[in-house]
């Protein structure tokens, strides 16, 4: 997969004007966190979801060990096309959501001794994996893991790279030769405060990655 086609996901959006500014950059995926322990939790759906999203910008809801009926309700209310599962969700949970017509992205936190073998059980039940760094929180920790570990990945499921990605990493990411790397997930390193993105810095990253 040519790296110039990498998809760009910006996660943890919370504020209406900030989101409106971001959408001008034509991101491919926009993430909203539905996890009340996160400082980026989106409480008022109607405050952002009535904006005009570019046709290619898919809305992603991020959930952590949430009940399937709640996920489906939030997806319906917010017009979410994708659900990102960032907890201990089982392959069965992923399959139920996929069969409900949602695109399913299952996140895993990668440490130095990460074993890719258990992911085989999810392969038929998800559309994407997302590999994030281990940290104190389920996501948004602002640290990266050793990307060389992804050389051990042998499944056919495409994945997003997450965890501490900053403006300085654009060239490095473009140079990666990882056949199933599908996109990058940008969050805390592009923030003024939790949930408020520095859109000019995001614009620089997007232009460099897509250039």
């Amino acid at each position: 997969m040519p790296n110039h086609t990498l998809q760009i996901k910006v996660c943890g959006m919370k504020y209406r004007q900030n989101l409106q500014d971001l959408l001008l950059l034509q991101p491919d995926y926009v993430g909203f966190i539905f996890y009340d322990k996160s400082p980026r939790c989106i409480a008022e759906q109607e405050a952002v979801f009535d904006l005009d999203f570019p046709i290619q910008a898919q809305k992603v809801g991020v959930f952590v060990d949430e009940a399937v009926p709640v996920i489906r309700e939030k997806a319906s209310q917010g017009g979410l096309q994708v659900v990102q599962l960032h907890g201990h969700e089982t392959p069965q949970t992923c399959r139920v959501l996929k069969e409900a017509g949602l695109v399913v992205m299952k996140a895993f936190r990668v440490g130095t001794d990460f074993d890719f073998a258990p992911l085989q059980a999810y392969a038929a039940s998800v559309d994407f994996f997302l590999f994030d760094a281990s940290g104190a929180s389920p996501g948004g920790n602002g640290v990266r893991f050793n990307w060389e570990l992804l050389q051990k990945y042998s499944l056919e499921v495409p994945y997003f790279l997450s965890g501490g990605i900053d403006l300085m990493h654009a060239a490095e990411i473009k140079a990666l030769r990882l056949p199933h790397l599908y996109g990058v997930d940008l969050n805390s390193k592009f923030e003024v405060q939790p949930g408020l993105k520095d859109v000019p810095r995001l614009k620089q990253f997007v232009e460099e990655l897509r250039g």
Side-chain angles (χ1 to χ4, degrees):
M1 184 179 298
N3 280 16
H4 70 269
T5 65
L6 284 179
Q7 302 286 284
I8 294 173
K9 174 177 176 284
V10 181
C11 200
M13 298 305 297
K14 189 172 179 178
Y15 301 103
R16 184 182 179 88
Q17 185 59 56
N18 193 223
L19 174 60
Q20 205 155 21
D21 294 341
L22 171 72
L23 293 176
L24 296 176
L25 304 183
Q26 303 281 311
D28 302 293
Y29 295 82
V30 182
F32 303 94
I33 296 175
F34 296 87
Y35 178 56
D36 57 11
K37 294 181 181 179
S38 170
R40 302 172 184 86
C41 183
I42 181 107
E44 300 295 333
Q45 293 193 48
E46 65 277 7
V48 296
F49 292 143
D50 63 344
L51 291 172
D52 289 329
F53 281 69
I55 191 167
Q56 91 288 351
Q58 298 194 57
K59 300 175 192 172
V60 182
V62 180
F63 300 91
V64 180
D65 296 320
E66 186 58 88
V68 167
V70 175
I71 295 175
R72 293 188 63 177
E73 179 185 9
K74 296 293 187 186
S76 176
Q77 291 174 348
L80 308 177
Q81 295 103 332
V82 184
V83 291
Q84 178 179 324
L85 307 177
H86 232 289
H88 301 89
E89 298 84 4
T90 64
Q92 172 65 16
T93 295
C94 296
R95 184 161 53 251
V96 168
L97 291 167
K98 187 172 181 179
E99 289 173 352
L102 292 163
V103 173
V104 177
M105 182 186 301
K106 180 68 183 85
F108 289 91
R109 297 159 71 183
V110 179
T112 54
D113 57 351
F114 187 76
D115 182 6
F116 288 97
L119 274 62
Q120 179 64 56
Y122 289 85
S125 304
V126 304
D127 298 278
F128 301 103
F129 289 124
L130 180 143
F131 296 126
D132 198 357
S134 294
S137 301
N141 292 291
V143 296
R144 57 179 285 189
F145 64 91
N146 178 9
W147 296 343
E148 288 298 315
L149 293 171
L150 295 172
Q151 300 287 351
K152 300 178 182 178
Y153 181 80
S154 60
L155 300 176
E156 292 300 314
V157 179
Y159 60 84
F160 283 77
L161 179 63
S162 185
I165 297 174
D166 205 341
L167 181 58
M168 69 184 76
H169 298 135
E172 184 179 352
I173 290 169
K174 284 182 74 172
L176 290 174
R177 293 295 173 258
L178 298 168
H180 294 95
L181 175 59
Y182 185 80
V184 293
D185 179 54
L186 311 176
N187 193 347
S188 59
K189 290 296 186 180
F190 291 89
E191 287 185 327
V192 178
Q193 65 184 52
L196 184 65
K197 298 299 186 286
D198 186 334
V199 175
R201 289 187 77 246
L202 279 168
K203 183 173 187 288
Q204 282 184 264
F205 184 95
V206 169
E207 288 176 347
E208 183 164 352
L209 195 68
R210 290 177 173 168

